[in-house]
Amino acid sequence: MKTAITEMFGIEHPIIQGGMHYVGFAELAAAVSNAGGLGIITGLTQRTPELLAKEIARCHDMTDKPFGVNLTFLPTFSAPPYPEYIAAIREGGIKVVETAGRSPEQYMPALKAGGIKVIHKCTSVRHSLKAEQIGCDAVSVDGFECGGHPGEDDMPNMILLPRAAEELKIPFVASGGMADARSLVAALAMGAAGMNMGTRFIATKEAPVHQNVKDALVKASELDTRLVMRGLRNTERVLNNKGVEHLLEIEREKGRQLKIEDIHDQVAGVYPKVMIDGEMDAGAWSCGMVAGLIRDIPTVKELIDRIMADAERIIRQRLTGFLDGAEQRPAAARAIA
Ligand SMILES: Cc1cc2nc3c(=O)[nH]c(=O)nc-3n(C[C@H](O)[C@H](O)[C@H](O)COP(=O)(O)O)c2cc1C
């Protein structure tokens, strides 16, 4: 399949693996790129720019295909040295950076001077337009369904994607709630040039996380995520667990007086406990509603091959079948998972 995104990034399939804290290591990024998608290493999971440089080198050892690095500009307890991270990215020969959180405007000259294509993740049309205006090459349009930070507009992809298509000139991928061929075909129908998946890629053989995390995703339904940190305007969609229930209790008690320090134990340092040690009740870790569509733990290649084969079937049989009157089975799309 060829789209503006496959052509821009030099990849076979229009599928991107979004940056994920403590998940987006070289193993997963290389597996996604080797399977024809675009794998992404999560820059800030590497505690220093030197460690990021090593992780990039490790990924080059595992794949000859293009892969990217995610740089997230979110409020943190201490600001990372972004210029040094960008230097490591440039020196590592990386040609795609996924930015997220705050606008990457001040870092665009450094990224562009390195010949890097920038895809910025946005949860609104206005932020997408701003990304286009500051010279981003593409946008990852992230709906309210998404795991991680959905922003404060609560706009689901059914509206957000067609609105982005109406306004944007640069290509965009659909992000948030994407799991399978049905997601990909629907995203393409709404004007996207591909899709970005986070949560779905955690439940794969190669994702370098504890088996408990993968099993929890298979077990979870679409009702099992919660929104935390709303009151701080730093909303995050996470998988519910005992730590999250405690966090929500604190949020309810503190109300408008809530400060980030009040929930420090439930949000800081949680990722290694969950992803490495498999402590599933440790606190808040990002997870999308799409957990309700995850039923197995395939290899990344099995997942991507299945998505592309099913997408072709949906387009050639189901959709064109409607046009010539041959396709009337409402269950046909349901069989694809
Ligand atoms: C465990 C986890 C950690 C994430 N960490 C980051 C991150 O560090 N930076 C970022 O830009 N996005 C992060 N995301 C968001 C993903 O890149 C992606 O945009 C999101 O997962 C898409 O929604 P989906 O989970 O429904 O596929 C994370 C998502 C998950 C599930």
Side-chain angles (χ1 to χ4, degrees):
M1 187 183 281
K2 265 195 182 152
T3 73
I5 286 292
T6 59
E7 301 316 282
M8 179 179 288
F9 297 140
I11 53 178
E12 196 185 341
H13 307 305
I15 299 177
I16 300 178
Q17 166 247 316
M20 286 182 281
H21 198 36
Y22 274 89
V23 183
F25 293 99
E27 286 79 5
L28 181 60
V32 173
S33 290
N34 282 331
L38 184 74
I40 298 208
I41 290 175
T42 316
L44 298 186
T45 299
Q46 304 301 322
R47 286 186 322 278
T48 64
E50 294 72 30
L51 288 172
L52 176 59
K54 284 196 183 137
E55 194 66 8
I56 291 171
R58 229 162 58 79
C59 200
H60 279 305
D61 286 343
M62 294 182 216
T63 183
D64 295 329
K65 304 269 178 71
F67 62 91
V69 171
N70 168 285
L71 265 189
T72 303
F73 306 105
L74 283 177
T76 53
F77 288 100
S78 57
Y82 288 111
E84 285 83 352
Y85 275 100
I86 291 172
I89 288 168
R90 283 173 57 167
E91 282 153 26
I94 296 295
K95 294 295 170 208
V96 185
V97 165
E98 177 198 52
T99 53
R102 299 207 171 116
S103 168
E105 186 165 11
Q106 75 179 107
Y107 303 107
M108 287 302 286
L111 291 165
K112 285 283 135 197
I116 290 168
K117 298 252 185 270
V118 178
I119 178 164
H120 186 53
K121 197 152 46 189
C122 301
T123 57
S124 70
V125 174
R126 66 187 185 286
H127 291 140
S128 303
L129 284 171
K130 169 81 181 169
E132 178 175 275
Q133 185 215 321
I134 64 169
C136 290
D137 300 276
V139 179
S140 205
V141 174
D142 210 21
F144 184 51
E145 307 89 332
C146 73
H149 293 267
E152 310 304 326
D153 288 349
D154 301 357
M155 193 57 63
N157 267 332
M158 210 70 193
I159 308 298
L160 189 56
L161 297 174
R163 280 288 299 120
E166 285 175 3
E167 304 266 348
L168 284 174
K169 292 185 198 69
I170 54 175
F172 65 95
V173 296
S175 177
M178 304 285 130
D180 54 35
R182 296 168 300 187
S183 327
L184 177 60
V185 176
L188 296 172
M190 286 191 276
M195 69 174 174
N196 178 64
M197 299 196 296
T199 305
R200 171 68 263 202
F201 275 123
I202 305 176
T204 58
K205 294 234 159 52
E206 293 92 336
V209 302
H210 198 285
Q211 186 64 31
N212 289 355
V213 180
K214 304 180 190 188
D215 294 343
L217 289 176
V218 171
K219 199 164 146 244
S221 89
E222 63 274 25
L223 301 174
D224 290 329
T225 69
R226 297 289 180 272
L227 295 175
V228 299
M229 294 191 283
R230 254 277 102 125
L232 300 171
R233 291 190 65 77
N234 184 27
T235 301
E236 184 179 359
R237 185 180 296 285
V238 301
L239 191 66
N240 195 21
N241 62 51
K242 290 205 178 82
V244 168
E245 278 168 8
H246 186 204
L247 191 166
L248 289 170
E249 240 173 67
I250 298 171
E251 289 193 349
R252 272 192 298 273
E253 266 168 32
K254 298 275 175 183
R256 286 167 172 271
Q257 311 305 321
L258 181 76
K259 296 196 190 64
I260 185 75
E261 298 77 33
D262 298 325
I263 53 171
H264 180 275
D265 292 352
Q266 287 73 38
V267 298
V270 170
Y271 276 80
K273 288 187 202 155
V274 172
M275 300 299 178
I276 298 172
D277 306 330
E279 283 179 38
M280 299 313 295
D281 284 321
W285 63 277
S286 297
C287 175
M289 289 173 155
V290 75
L293 295 174
I294 297 175
R295 304 207 173 82
D296 61 357
I297 305 171
T299 66
V300 167
K301 182 165 165 45
E302 283 164 356
L303 177 65
I304 290 184
D305 284 351
R306 181 167 77 193
I307 291 172
M308 295 315 298
D310 287 348
E312 184 166 349
R313 248 201 331 271
I314 294 175
I315 296 166
R316 286 196 200 280
Q317 292 176 19
R318 183 168 166 79
L319 299 186
T320 56
F322 285 129
L323 291 177
D324 55 28
E327 173 67 64
Q328 286 163 22
R329 293 163 301 145
R334 241 184 281 149
I336 294 162

